[in-house]
Amino acid sequence: RKEVEQDPGPFNVPEGATVAFNCTYSNSASQSFFWYRQDCRKEPKLLMSVYSSGNEDGRFTAQLNRASQYISLLIRDSKLSDSATYLCVVNGNNFNKFYFGSGTKLNVKP
Amino acid sequence: EAGVAQSPRYKIIEKRQSVAFWCNPISGHATLYWYQQILGQGPKLLIQFQNNGVVDDSQLPKDRFSAERLKGVDSTLKIQPAKLEDSAVYLCASSLDPVRPETQYFGPGTRLLVL
């Protein structure tokens, strides 16, 4: 079983829509969770950390569900510029080691 | 502040040839990572250095891949001989604190095509 699994999408949504992605992780001992954004042919960049209490940054909200072992990313009022691949990152048994999901592709259309 | 530098940006080689990639991390970042990202997949860690020591190379195919970090700064990743399945983007990243990936920054990557 993969450490981190994501729906590859693509999610095709109109501008202004709300969209949510989930990411499941296999290691119940994982403590650190993050969402990265990767634009086409670019390197990944940190979007936000996911805290136990949830985390909100403008139109973006990240949540953690430990019982079901998944994290989520909610994007409100989608913009064309939100089109990208969103990568979920989770640490393993070794806090030093992090696993990337395969990413969920989002296309925001006019 | 200068970011992570990588070269070359693109490389096309034939199978069984050798290739080397170079990375210069952000100044002061003791931790350096090499990732392989195959099209449609997330980055996979190949090797992690802390200064010039290897912390994790469990996913590095050691029969063909090698990496070194001279003097704890620049790093090179070599593939010898290359296979078709090595076609990927090779990302170098560096971080200030290995247990806090929010301090990790990626370079632009080297796109490798093996024919």
Side-chain angles (χ1 to χ4, degrees):
Chain A
R1 185 182 171 186
K2 288 184 180 179
E3 297 282 345
V4 182
E5 299 207 55
Q6 296 184 251
D7 180 343
F11 284 60
N12 297 308
V13 302
E15 271 186 292
T18 295
V19 63
F21 316 129
N22 283 345
C23 161
T24 58
Y25 59 94
S26 61
N27 188 345
S28 59
S30 295
Q31 296 291 326
S32 302
F33 310 90
F34 305 87
W35 284 102
Y36 276 70
R37 171 192 170 127
Q38 186 170 26
D39 293 296
C40 188
R41 303 180 72 84
K42 297 285 190 180
E43 70 273 22
K45 292 185 179 177
L46 180 68
L47 178 65
M48 60 198 306
S49 305
V50 187
Y51 305 125
S52 295
S53 56
N55 188 17
E56 186 172 319
D57 183 3
R59 298 181 293 109
F60 297 82
T61 301
Q63 300 219 308
L64 167 64
N65 184 317
R66 286 195 183 276
S68 300
Q69 292 184 212
Y70 74 86
I71 64 172
S72 63
L73 178 67
L74 179 80
I75 306 175
R76 289 180 296 277
D77 188 23
S78 298
K79 311 289 184 193
L80 295 175
S81 57
D82 294 334
S83 296
T85 295
Y86 292 84
L87 299 163
C88 165
V89 180
V90 177
N91 81 304
N93 284 328
N94 179 347
F95 288 128
N96 220 350
K97 190 162 186 173
F98 291 85
Y99 297 93
F100 282 78
S102 295
T104 297
K105 188 170 174 60
L106 171 66
N107 295 319
V108 181
K109 300 183 181 300
Chain B
E1 178 184 276
V4 177
Q6 288 187 248
S7 69
R9 293 296 308 278
Y10 305 91
K11 191 74 177 177
I12 301 174
I13 61 172
E14 294 187 348
K15 60 182 179 185
R16 291 187 289 273
Q17 285 187 323
S18 302
V19 65
F21 312 130
W22 172 82
C23 172
N24 179 239
I26 292 173
S27 178
H29 282 195
T31 310
L32 185 147
Y33 312 80
W34 281 103
Y35 291 88
Q36 180 194 58
Q37 187 172 23
I38 292 171
L39 188 65
Q41 298 182 20
K44 181 182 85 171
L45 181 68
L46 293 175
I47 190 166
Q48 178 180 341
F49 291 95
Q50 184 68 20
N51 295 307
N52 60 352
V54 175
V55 173
D56 184 348
D57 63 357
S58 57
Q59 297 194 92
L60 187 74
K62 298 179 186 65
D63 58 333
R64 297 184 302 105
F65 286 64
S66 64
E68 60 181 4
R69 189 178 184 193
L70 302 173
K71 300 179 182 178
V73 181
D74 292 6
S75 177
T76 55
L77 176 70
K78 296 180 183 177
I79 308 176
Q80 180 180 8
K83 292 186 175 181
L84 296 178
E85 59 261 36
D86 297 333
S87 295
V89 177
Y90 291 84
L91 294 161
C92 179
S94 68
S95 74
L96 205 52
D97 184 346
V99 299
R100 295 175 54 217
E102 62 267 36
T103 68
Q104 179 178 178
Y105 292 88
F106 285 86
T110 295
R111 293 185 175 276
L112 174 66
L113 179 60
V114 182
L115 302 174

